[in-house]
Amino acid sequence: MQDVENTALSESDLSRSPSLHRDDYLRYGRQMILEGFGLPGQAGLQRSSVVVVGAGGLGCPALQYLAASGVGRIGIIDHDMVELSNLQRQILHNESTVGVYKAISAAQAIQKLNSKIQVDIITEALHSSNAIALLYPYNVILDCTDNAPTRYLLSDTAVSLGKPLVSGAAQKFEGQLSVYNFGDNGPCYRCIFPRPPAMETVGTCEETGVLGAVTGVIGTMQALETIRIITGLHDGKPTLLLYSALTVPFFRSVKLRSKKPSCIACGGDGVKNGTIEETDYVAFCGGVRPNWEQKGLSSGSPGARIRVQELKDMFESNTQITLIDVRPTIEFGICQLSGSKNVPLPQLLADPNSHISDDESGQVVIVCRLGNDSQIAADTFRESKPNIVVKDVIGGLRAWSREIDPLFPIY
Ligand SMILES: Nc1ncnc2c1ncn2[C@@H]1O[C@H](COP(=O)(O)OP(=O)(O)OP(=O)(O)O)[C@@H](O)[C@H]1O
């Protein structure tokens, strides 16, 4: 499966008589004088090509260091556009590129840093029918995305194309880093995580929060691992690096086992291009968002979910409601609707009966930030107190801010 033309540079590539422009000796001199790097290392970087999937929190620092180090060709794949809430960590974007495709914004930034490298801009989402074609031209693939379907798709594609996959993840105060499908018998992502996590146990940065500098640490290390692979400085030992910004020592590493012979992707006959195209990665990972109706957690009778306009109407007509906000206390402290009481979702799930009384005379309305947790809370109440009218707010406080009160803080 290893495609010699298109995989990480071989020893013969690195020892081929290198030629650099005169300015490059000055530009890259600080790394060229490093033991084991030298002129072959720099020339290897210049001849290599790398694709970064996701130009967000991880992709930005990774791209920055890859461009600065002189990787000759860099592809950037991201279908999303820059938003104000990205600027806290997605350091290649800025106020003037809000609304611009991230792939374009990031490309502009790294071309300013290094105008001599080739940058390919791809503003479409990576999915099973374009992955092989989009990733084929590059030596190393970086997973800087934030969702399980893309992780499995990237891993299968990397296996199929015989390319190393440098995978990063960051959430809250923590991050993870690993290189898959590399070295002597290195495992793929599926060998280590054969089944996706349950959808309700994972969340995006939007849902769970992330400290910007944590993505900086992991994204930078993704660039570092990539440079080690290209220049032959990587020992190829499969390792999962775990980082926690709040716990000393900050880094721990876990030795990973070799490729699993029974792995459906890299064991046996291996994954075929056709298999990737036929796989519904979103379905494999349980759907884009948990759909509580489909999971049998009915959302009650028609009208069980209300729009923010209906909530406003209830306020204005003085309808008697018990308004429960199920966000974490720290978020409730940032902003809240007047008259709402805070019962964080885990507390509510642990003991739903203690938060509303049996003779609740009005309606119970549940709100959260985006309208997902409120559905879980409402279904839990309906099960424990079937005689009480429980509604939840579609789109949550985000929708309230967008549609009703533009002065209400959005985060
Ligand atoms: N299949 C995919 N193809 C291309 N880009 C992807 C794919 N999946 C995820 N991404 C990109 O990966 C990036 C992940 O970065 P990050 O989580 O920091 O950003 P975000 O999604 O903007 O964050 P937030 O959760 O705060 O909205 C995003 O820019 C997203 O568009």
Side-chain angles (χ1 to χ4, degrees):
M1 276 292 179
Q2 207 85 352
D3 181 338
V4 178
E5 280 301 302
N6 285 287
T7 194
L9 295 182
S10 62
E11 266 174 42
S12 63
D13 277 326
L14 291 171
S15 58
R16 215 187 294 152
S17 163
S19 69
L20 290 186
H21 190 273
R22 201 163 171 274
D23 290 349
D24 292 339
Y25 291 87
L26 191 57
R27 180 171 198 137
Y28 302 115
R30 301 294 188 276
Q31 63 198 39
M32 283 168 62
I33 59 174
L34 293 173
E35 185 72 33
F37 196 98
L39 182 55
Q42 193 57 49
L45 285 179
Q46 196 182 62
R47 279 198 299 272
S48 69
S49 58
V50 163
V51 61
V52 175
V53 187
L58 299 170
C60 285
L63 283 162
Q64 195 169 29
Y65 277 104
L66 290 170
S69 71
V71 170
R73 179 180 178 193
I74 300 180
I76 310 175
I77 303 180
D78 201 311
H79 57 288
D80 199 10
M81 289 168 191
V82 180
E83 293 178 48
L84 190 62
S85 62
N86 298 152
L87 301 188
Q88 157 260 12
R89 67 188 186 286
Q90 303 184 18
I91 49 156
L92 291 178
H93 313 308
N94 62 70
E95 290 172 14
S96 72
T97 62
V98 169
V100 173
Y101 277 111
K102 288 183 185 179
I104 295 176
S105 168
Q108 286 168 348
I110 62 172
Q111 287 274 219
K112 267 193 204 158
L113 177 61
N114 194 341
S115 61
K116 291 201 180 157
I117 59 174
Q118 176 185 336
V119 181
D120 308 330
I121 300 168
I122 299 134
T123 57
E124 55 186 297
L126 193 86
H127 47 78
S128 49
S129 55
N130 63 10
I132 295 282
L134 289 181
L135 303 180
Y136 176 79
Y138 303 93
N139 301 129
V140 184
I141 303 166
L142 275 77
D143 181 355
C144 297
T145 67
D146 57 353
N147 61 85
T150 308
R151 286 196 192 289
Y152 283 97
L153 168 62
L154 278 169
S155 177
D156 290 353
T157 311
V159 169
S160 174
L161 294 173
K163 297 177 194 284
L165 174 68
V166 182
S167 172
Q171 235 171 38
K172 299 183 179 176
F173 298 98
E174 285 159 13
Q176 286 186 8
L177 172 82
S178 211
V179 178
Y180 295 108
N181 200 40
F182 179 63
D184 198 14
N185 242 354
C188 76
Y189 184 72
R190 272 188 200 271
C191 294
I192 309 301
F193 303 104
R195 274 173 300 280
M199 270 315 261
E200 50 274 35
T201 64
V202 289
T204 62
C205 292
E206 182 181 14
E207 291 158 341
T208 63
V210 65
L211 200 62
V214 170
T215 60
V217 171
I218 302 297
T220 301
M221 293 196 71
Q222 286 184 266
L224 191 51
E225 290 291 79
T226 306
I227 292 167
R228 287 178 69 204
I229 291 169
I230 294 168
T231 56
L233 289 171
H234 204 293
D235 60 11
K237 289 188 183 142
T239 308
L240 176 66
L241 186 84
L242 302 165
Y243 171 71
S244 168
L246 302 182
T247 325
V248 177
F250 300 123
F251 291 99
R252 280 186 303 131
S253 65
V254 180
K255 201 173 151 213
L256 295 180
R257 57 173 174 245
S258 306
K259 190 183 279 206
K260 236 167 74 181
S262 61
C263 175
I264 61 159
C266 68
D269 288 342
V271 68
K272 305 274 188 313
N273 296 1
T275 328
I276 293 171
E277 279 158 30
E278 282 160 22
T279 304
D280 183 341
Y281 287 88
V282 174
F284 170 66
C285 294
V288 178
R289 282 292 317 154
N291 182 333
W292 303 104
E293 280 88 350
Q294 279 174 18
K295 285 189 167 184
L297 290 167
S298 91
S299 281
S301 53
R305 307 205 69 202
I306 57 170
R307 302 206 164 274
V308 281
Q309 182 60 50
E310 292 167 71
L311 179 61
K312 183 176 180 240
D313 294 344
M314 284 175 161
F315 283 150
E316 287 175 353
S317 61
N318 290 323
T319 308
Q320 196 184 345
I321 58 170
T322 301
L323 183 58
I324 298 179
D325 184 327
V326 294
R327 289 174 300 153
T329 306
I330 195 153
E331 294 185 31
F332 188 76
I334 296 172
C335 58
Q336 72 284 135
L337 290 175
S338 104
S340 57
K341 85 169 172 177
N342 184 215
V343 183
L345 186 65
Q347 269 164 254
L348 186 147
L349 295 180
D351 185 12
N353 289 331
S354 69
H355 301 293
I356 44 177
S357 62
D358 288 330
D359 55 353
E360 201 78 39
S361 45
Q363 301 183 28
V364 175
V365 178
I366 319 274
V367 70
C368 66
R369 183 152 68 109
L370 301 169
N372 296 319
D373 287 351
S374 61
Q375 291 181 69
I376 305 173
D379 280 319
T380 305
F381 274 143
R382 281 186 204 108
E383 272 170 27
S384 68
K385 303 212 186 238
N387 51 337
I388 289 175
V389 180
V390 183
K391 303 189 171 200
D392 87 282
V393 181
I394 299 166
L397 295 173
R398 179 67 67 93
W400 181 266
S401 173
R402 285 214 172 111
E403 295 169 37
I404 305 294
D405 180 3
L407 295 180
F408 190 83
I410 195 167
Y411 62 95

